[in-house]
Amino acid sequence: MKIVVIGGTGLVGSQVVRNLEAHGHEAVAAAPQTGVNTLTGEGLDEVLEGAQVVIDLSNSPSFAEEDVTNFFRTSTTNLLEAEKKAGVQHHVILSIVGADGIDSGYMRAKVVQEDLVKASGSGWSIVRSTQFFEFLAAIADTATVDGVVHIAPVRFQPIASADVARFVGRTAAGTPLGATMEIAGPDAFGFDEIVRKHLASKDDPREVRADPSATYFGAELKDAELVPAGEAQLGEVSYDQWRAAQA
């Protein structure tokens, strides 16, 4: 199949493209640097010509609520309209576990994106993922105040981006789910516990403090919001395996 990967040059997208090509598909990485802009519509008709599937891995450059909502609403609307003209049969998006429960502007914008896809009338699949191992350092950085990392002591089940790419690619190559599936890493941790472990593995001396009032994407957390709500597909790569590969 011809599968167009919006955001195909990013962390997950580049791996999705490689995996699909390895399985004999024509995978096209589409991004502003390749001449495809979902906000303006530039390049969409051309890149979607002959495509059967679109995977949308795009993300907003700004996380301010108005900006990110406008991004996902405009980008998704443009994509779905262009796909209808091109005869695309399957639209796949990557979303976030807990998006409809966390009181955050970014999460609300992701739900707007999901709702547009569900209402499109076309074949669709939504893959909701937990946070990636690759962003643990950035989480620690944004949570640091006066040299101390403040993390909510809630359950957390991060996943390797390589596993995310495999699940997304498999979903795209299959029959549209018309439903949402959740994916997560093989192991659950305390959020503060895994951040502490990650910083220690990098010889980072910062103290990690369990802080129930610490926010995530601007929202205070309840215990079960960052782990799958029900049955989930679990990745193969453990944190220790991932960290060993990074080292």
Side-chain angles (χ1 to χ4, degrees):
M1 292 187 291
K2 179 180 177 181
I3 302 176
V4 175
V5 184
I6 306 295
T9 58
L11 172 65
V12 174
S14 57
Q15 296 177 80
V16 169
V17 168
R18 286 197 300 272
N19 292 347
L20 290 171
E21 289 177 339
H23 285 84
H25 299 289
E26 179 190 353
V28 181
Q33 56 264 50
T34 70
V36 179
N37 189 319
T38 55
L39 276 180
T40 65
E42 177 190 0
L44 278 180
D45 290 343
E46 293 80 5
V47 79
L48 293 181
E49 187 175 350
Q52 287 83 42
V53 183
V54 167
I55 302 171
D56 185 6
L57 304 173
S58 61
N59 205 0
S60 171
S62 166
F63 282 12
E65 182 165 4
E66 184 177 350
D67 294 340
V68 72
T69 302
N70 179 65
F71 176 88
F72 283 121
R73 180 178 287 118
T74 303
S75 174
T76 303
T77 299
N78 288 343
L79 256 180
L80 292 170
E81 288 177 354
E83 288 171 26
K84 191 170 185 179
K85 286 192 289 182
V88 172
Q89 300 155 17
H90 190 185
H91 183 96
V92 181
I93 64 168
L94 180 62
S95 191
I96 302 170
V97 163
D100 49 2
I102 298 173
D103 185 19
S104 153
Y106 184 84
M107 299 299 183
R108 284 190 286 272
K110 289 298 290 183
V111 173
V112 167
Q113 181 191 29
E114 292 183 4
D115 288 345
L116 286 168
V117 170
K118 292 175 185 177
S120 67
S122 303
W124 58 272
S125 302
I126 296 172
V127 180
R128 279 189 169 189
S129 176
T130 55
Q131 185 58 272
F132 308 163
F133 293 141
E134 284 83 353
F135 291 118
L136 287 170
I139 288 169
D141 290 344
T142 57
T144 299
V145 180
D146 296 330
V148 176
V149 184
H150 294 256
I151 300 291
V154 297
R155 284 177 289 162
F156 191 63
Q157 197 165 341
I159 185 171
S161 67
D163 278 331
V164 177
R166 279 192 285 271
F167 281 123
V168 168
R170 252 181 247 157
T171 302
T175 303
L177 300 174
T180 300
M181 66 176 282
E182 294 192 326
I183 62 173
D187 304 302
F189 306 88
F191 196 2
D192 57 311
E193 170 197 353
I194 190 61
V195 173
R196 190 176 295 113
K197 179 174 181 176
H198 184 61
L199 293 186
S201 77
K202 295 159 62 70
D203 296 322
D204 188 318
R206 281 178 289 177
E207 174 193 352
V208 177
R209 186 173 299 167
D211 181 354
S213 66
T215 60
Y216 181 71
F217 283 94
E220 290 190 12
L221 294 171
K222 302 185 183 76
D223 184 52
E225 290 175 324
L226 301 184
V227 295
E231 254 186 61
Q233 301 288 317
L234 300 184
E236 301 171 2
V237 181
S238 70
Y239 170 79
D240 289 337
Q241 290 169 327
W242 173 81
R243 183 65 190 132
Q246 304 308 300

